[in-house]
């Protein structure tokens, strides 16, 4: 989904800039020190930032504020059309949502789904990245082409393809499975049960997410100093030992970043479920995102939908905190 | 690459063993290639098959007859160029606005030291974390209030939520990679700060700006949820158009795969062109930093 892709481009700088101050002063000003020089130049960056901050305040700040307000109000169809004034209801929406056992099923399902998808993505990504280092050049090129093709595939197209591959009657997946002696999957409907259906959706999500992880880890692996690995080998470390004690610690910042991003993306899975279920996900397919959507736009209770969305954001905030620390470190903020 | 003098000799000694062990890895590698690439292959394979071959319970892995009939059907099932055109308008406008506004902001946070810089950076990073789905309700209400519901301009404004932070952050990375000394040298030679930027930094930044634009374009092009929610059927974009193949009477898979191919192939090609640059920018310094 695009929310997912939004965050793909955290670009850490290649080098540390000498010191944040050196750029602000021209060579002529070099001698000048003190607060005056800083305060005159402070107007320029804020002027440069102004359009960006204005746009973000409009398209992000205001909706976020509105989201919070909505979740404390009663807002349905009649309020939308202006027949009735909105009125504050305090924590009513939250207590309704939190008191609903259905909601807790959805929360557990979402967390299990997202965590499994993240673990699967990270493990497969790591294995493929390590494999890339061991295969011949032409095999590497082949794998890279497949990875980039699946990475660049629009999510809606990917969902469509998977829907087709897992079609109960004409899907190629059932056909291949049934080729295994003693296995008969002809006509099997993967979406009859939520567990199997979500498993298919998870495969789709992981398939789309692995390329980014592989390519990022692979770039990280090229930065692992060969001397360190050799030194570890001389000290008697085996393949696993080198990986565990040399490669992993060096890759840790990248892995933390990837894992956090994956959690955010996989908690935000929406079109995959929505389109896979033709716009009407059954109860046992609901994740937090689709559940919030359904409450808002199917039941027309915008405030309950907002409350659910807000709870989702708060859930993610914990993960983001870890990620922010990492980004601040990598991003050479100061 | 670090090559010690002893390495070639050692390599020669180990060569036969290494080749043998590579064979095993290559076999696994080809397996990975097949599994990862299969969905894409299956799309292409179905798209070029006669529609009746596609719904065969015993599917053929290699096409026996090639046909373009599915593409013809996909183009005619409903308006095709309308949604494509609207997607193009929306994506191009978002990228253009994002690039101008984003470049200024990126400059501010990468070339100036000022009080509040850290907060701005944290803010720009943080807003990228808010899932789009969580925002759909208030955005819908906001556009409704502004009279921008079912308007392309409304969609363009909302797409800035995810394009702008991304553009600022990416451009920042590209700018930081351009040594400040170059600018300073130009200023010693008599350029103003602005002049130095336009003559020295701007040309060096061009490839990064192209990569960022293409990447942003693809993101806007692929967006589904907002396009679905904020536009009526008469104004749908390309991603929403894909669902026209599914009706109550079932899904026309072969033309749908043809439609998917037409939507995906240009994007994948664009993506192939810039992904190396983007991947480099994405990860450079992440380990050493």
């Amino acid at each position: 989904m695009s929310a997912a892709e939004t965050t793909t481009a955290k670009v850490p700088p290649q080098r540390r800039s000498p010191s944040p101050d050196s750029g602000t002063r021209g060579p002529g000003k070099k001698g000048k020190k003190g607060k005056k020089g800083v305060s005159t130049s402070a107007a320029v960056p804020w002027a440069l930032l102004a359009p960006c901050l204005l746009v973000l305040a409009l398209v992000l700040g205001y909706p976020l504020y509105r989201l919070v307000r909505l979740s404390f109000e009663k807002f349905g169809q009649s309020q939308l059309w202006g027949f009735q004034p909105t009125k504050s209801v305090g924590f009513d929406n939250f207590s309704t949502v939190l008191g609903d056992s259905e909601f807790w099923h959805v929360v557990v399902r979402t967390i299990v789904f997202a965590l499994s998808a993240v673990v699967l993505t990270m493990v497969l990504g790591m294995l493929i990245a390590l494999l890339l280092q061991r295969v011949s050049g032409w095999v590497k090129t082949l794998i890279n082409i497949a990875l980039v093709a699946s990475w660049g595939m629009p999510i809606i197209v990917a969902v469509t393809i998977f829907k087709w591959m897992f079609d109960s009657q004409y899907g190629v997946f059932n056909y291949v499975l049934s080729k295994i002696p003693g296995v008969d999957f002809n006509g099997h409907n993967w979406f009859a049960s939520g567990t199997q259906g979500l498993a298919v959706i998870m495969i789709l999500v992981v398939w789309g997410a692995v390329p980014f992880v592989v390519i990022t880890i692979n770039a990280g692996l090229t930065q692992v100093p060969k001397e360190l690995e050799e030194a570890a080998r001389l000290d008697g470390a085996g393949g696993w030992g080198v990986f565990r004690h040399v490669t992993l610690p060096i890759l840790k910042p990248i892995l933390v970043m990837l894992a956090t991003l994956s959690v955010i993306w996989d908690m935000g899975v929406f079109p995959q479920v929505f389109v896979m279920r033709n716009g009407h996900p059954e109860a046992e397919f609901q994740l937090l995102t689709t559940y919030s959507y359904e409450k808002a736009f199917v039941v027309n209770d915008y405030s309950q939908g907002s409350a659910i969305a807000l709870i989702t954001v708060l859930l993610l905030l914990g993960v983001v905190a870890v990620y922010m620390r990492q980004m601040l470190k990598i991003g050479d903020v100061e | 690459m670090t090559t010690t003098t002893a390495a070639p000799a050692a390599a020669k000694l180990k060569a036969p063993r290494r080749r043998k062990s590579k064979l095993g890895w290559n076999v696994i590698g080809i397996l990975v290639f097949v599994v990862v690439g299969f969905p894409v292959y299956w799309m292409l394979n179905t798209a070029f098959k006669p529609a009746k071959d596609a719904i065969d319970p015993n599917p053929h892995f290699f096409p026996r007859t090639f046909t373009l009939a599915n593409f013809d059907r996909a183009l005619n099932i409903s308006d095709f160029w309308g949604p494509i055109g609207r997607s193009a308008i929306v994506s191009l406008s978002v990228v253009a606005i994002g690039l101008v506004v984003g470049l200024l902001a990126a400059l501010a946070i990468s070339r100036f030291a000022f009080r509040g810089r850290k907060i701005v950076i944290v803010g720009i990073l943080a807003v990228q974390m808010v899932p789009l789905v969580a925002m759909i309700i208030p955005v819908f209400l906001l556009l409704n209030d502004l009279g921008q519901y079912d308007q392309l301009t409304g969609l363009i404004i909302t797409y800035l939520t995810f394009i702008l932070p991304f553009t600022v952050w990416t451009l920042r990375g590209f700018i930081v990679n351009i040594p400040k000394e170059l600018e300073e040298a130009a200023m010693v030679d008599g350029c103003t700060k602005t002049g130095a930027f336009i003559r020295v930094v701007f040309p060096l930044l061009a490839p990064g700006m192209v990569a960022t634009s293409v990447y942003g374009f693809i993101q806007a092009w692929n967006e589904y949820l907002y396009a679905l929610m904020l536009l009526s059927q008469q104004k749908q974009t390309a991603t929403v158009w894909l669902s026209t193949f599914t009706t109550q009477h079932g899904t026309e898979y072969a033309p749908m795969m043809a439609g998917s191919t037409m939507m995906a192939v240009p994007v994948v090609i664009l993506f192939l062109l810039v992904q190396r640059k983007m991947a480099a920018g994405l990860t450079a310094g992440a380990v050493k930093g």
Side-chain angles (χ1 to χ4, degrees):
Chain A
M1 89 169 279
S2 44
E5 280 155 44
T6 313
T7 26
T8 43
K10 300 285 140 25
V11 183
Q14 240 151 20
R15 66 186 74 207
R16 274 173 184 280
S17 42
S19 106
D21 277 71
S22 62
T24 52
R25 290 170 203 163
K29 285 185 195 165
K30 236 168 201 166
K32 281 187 197 169
K33 274 185 185 174
K35 279 177 187 164
K36 209 167 187 188
V38 177
S39 64
T40 45
S41 68
V44 180
W46 284 112
L48 291 173
L49 275 172
C52 178
L53 295 180
L54 270 176
V55 172
L56 286 182
L58 172 72
V59 298
L60 261 163
Y62 180 74
L64 260 181
Y65 158 75
R66 188 90 190 251
L67 179 74
V68 176
R69 232 185 56 192
L70 266 175
S71 55
F72 290 101
E73 280 170 353
K74 181 175 162 44
F75 200 100
Q77 197 101 64
S78 45
Q79 282 81 13
L80 176 66
W81 300 116
F83 298 143
Q84 275 175 38
T86 53
K87 75 170 197 271
S88 177
V89 293
F91 284 92
D92 277 12
N93 293 314
F94 289 96
S95 51
T96 316
V97 169
L98 296 175
D100 187 358
S101 65
E102 176 75 26
F103 170 77
W104 291 104
H105 287 308
V106 175
V107 170
V108 172
R109 191 181 300 130
T110 310
I111 292 176
V112 170
F113 176 88
L115 272 187
S116 328
V118 170
V119 170
L120 213 64
T121 308
M122 294 299 292
V123 170
L124 284 176
M126 180 57 101
L127 288 177
I128 297 178
L130 289 172
L131 180 70
L132 276 179
Q133 295 211 314
R134 280 161 184 77
V135 295
S136 314
W138 61 277
V139 179
K140 200 172 175 172
T141 311
L142 279 182
I143 298 179
N144 270 327
I145 290 175
L147 285 176
V148 173
S150 61
W151 188 8
M153 204 46 79
I155 288 188
I156 291 306
V157 174
V159 177
T160 316
I161 298 171
F162 272 74
K163 212 163 139 190
W164 168 225
M165 293 203 320
F166 284 89
D167 187 82
S168 62
Q169 289 186 55
Y170 307 112
V172 67
F173 194 71
N174 281 345
Y175 174 75
V176 171
L177 274 189
S178 302
K179 284 276 164 199
I180 303 168
V183 182
D184 183 21
F185 268 90
N186 281 315
H188 178 75
N189 182 1
W190 289 92
F191 296 98
S193 95
T195 322
Q196 285 187 16
L198 283 175
V200 170
I201 293 171
M202 194 184 296
I203 296 175
L204 159 68
V205 169
V206 171
W207 177 77
V210 157
F212 173 65
V213 173
V214 172
I215 289 167
T216 312
I217 293 182
N218 203 40
L221 282 175
T222 59
Q223 295 187 33
V224 176
K226 286 275 171 294
E227 303 81 46
L228 271 182
E229 288 182 353
E230 274 161 28
R233 282 232 165 71
L234 285 178
D235 290 346
W240 171 248
V242 173
F243 178 74
R244 169 81 184 70
H245 296 290
V246 177
T247 318
L248 264 190
I250 294 180
L251 284 182
K252 199 183 148 216
I254 284 194
L255 295 179
V256 171
M257 177 186 96
L258 287 174
T260 323
L261 283 176
S262 303
V263 171
I264 293 164
W265 296 338
D266 293 346
M267 288 282 290
V269 159
F270 180 88
Q272 290 91 333
V273 179
F274 189 79
V275 175
M276 206 62 123
R277 302 313 302 135
N278 299 322
H280 307 288
E282 296 84 345
E284 73 261 47
F285 279 89
Q286 296 288 1
L287 300 179
L288 273 170
T289 50
T290 54
Y291 192 61
S292 154
Y293 174 91
E294 188 179 85
K295 279 278 184 264
F297 294 101
V298 181
V299 188
N300 281 319
D301 189 338
Y302 299 98
S303 36
Q304 250 196 70
S306 300
I308 296 166
L310 198 62
I311 295 171
T312 313
V313 174
L314 290 177
L315 265 176
L316 279 173
L317 222 60
V319 182
V320 175
V322 180
Y323 171 76
M324 291 297 278
R325 269 187 47 200
Q326 197 65 40
M327 285 315 290
L328 285 174
K329 247 188 257 169
I330 295 173
D332 177 32
V333 168
E334 213 53 64
Chain B
M1 279 291 250
T2 45
T3 339
T4 54
T5 40
K12 210 176 270 175
L13 217 84
K14 276 187 191 164
R17 225 192 89 206
R18 194 175 284 174
R19 191 161 303 146
K20 210 175 178 184
S21 66
K22 262 208 168 154
L23 182 74
W25 293 119
N26 281 348
V27 171
I28 303 176
I30 291 170
L31 257 164
V32 169
F33 164 71
V34 169
V35 172
V36 174
F38 186 78
V40 183
Y41 171 73
W42 201 242
M43 170 185 83
L44 295 171
N45 184 19
T46 310
F48 290 102
K49 260 181 200 177
K52 65 171 173 30
D53 284 8
I55 46 170
D56 186 337
N58 298 311
H60 293 278
F61 285 91
F62 303 100
R64 289 176 301 181
T65 28
F66 272 102
T67 172
L68 292 175
N70 295 320
F71 288 87
D72 199 47
R73 173 90 184 114
L75 288 169
N76 293 313
I77 190 165
S78 65
D79 181 22
F80 170 74
W81 295 109
I84 293 285
R86 282 189 286 275
S87 275
I89 292 172
V90 170
S91 310
L92 286 174
S93 319
V94 172
V95 168
I97 300 172
L99 203 60
V100 174
V101 176
L103 179 63
L104 297 178
L107 262 179
I109 57 172
S110 56
R111 280 293 198 253
F112 292 90
F114 57 95
R115 196 165 297 175
R117 174 170 166 273
K118 198 167 186 167
I119 294 167
V120 170
I121 292 181
V122 171
I124 287 173
L125 279 175
V127 293
Q128 297 191 82
M129 302 297 117
V130 182
L132 276 195
V133 201
M135 302 287 286
I136 186 75
I137 302 163
V139 162
F140 170 76
L141 296 176
L142 172 69
L143 292 188
N144 208 34
D145 292 347
L146 293 175
Q148 287 296 317
Y149 175 75
D150 202 19
Q151 300 286 328
L152 289 189
T153 43
L155 196 66
I156 292 169
I157 295 172
T158 51
Y159 278 12
L160 286 171
T161 39
F162 59 92
I163 294 292
L164 195 52
F166 153 81
T167 312
V168 174
W169 192 242
T170 329
L171 285 178
R172 189 205 75 102
F174 284 112
I175 295 174
V176 170
N177 283 339
I178 299 169
K180 265 177 197 154
E181 293 75 30
L182 288 178
E183 260 172 287
E184 282 163 8
M187 277 152 80
V188 169
D189 289 345
C191 275
T192 58
K193 195 166 169 65
T194 319
F197 180 78
I198 292 173
R199 284 177 209 186
V200 178
V201 180
F202 209 66
L204 291 172
L205 193 57
M209 285 172 61
V210 171
T212 310
S213 311
V214 170
Y215 219 79
F217 179 87
I218 292 172
Q219 283 182 40
W221 182 270
N222 290 345
E223 206 285 326
Y224 173 78
L225 177 63
Y226 281 7
L228 175 76
M229 289 305 302
L230 303 175
L231 296 174
S232 64
Q233 205 165 11
Q234 287 77 33
K235 287 202 175 170
Q236 67 192 1
T237 59
T239 45
V240 184
W241 168 82
L242 254 195
S243 59
T244 44
F245 295 95
T246 305
T247 62
Q248 283 113 325
H249 310 295
T251 306
E252 292 186 67
Y253 276 112
M256 194 184 213
M257 289 300 118
S260 302
T261 306
M262 287 192 286
M263 263 199 69
V265 167
V267 172
V268 170
I269 290 174
L270 266 180
F271 195 83
L272 267 167
L273 293 176
V274 296
Q275 65 87 21
R276 195 177 286 268
K277 181 131 197 88
M278 289 302 298
L282 280 166
T283 47
V287 172
K288 285 173 188 161

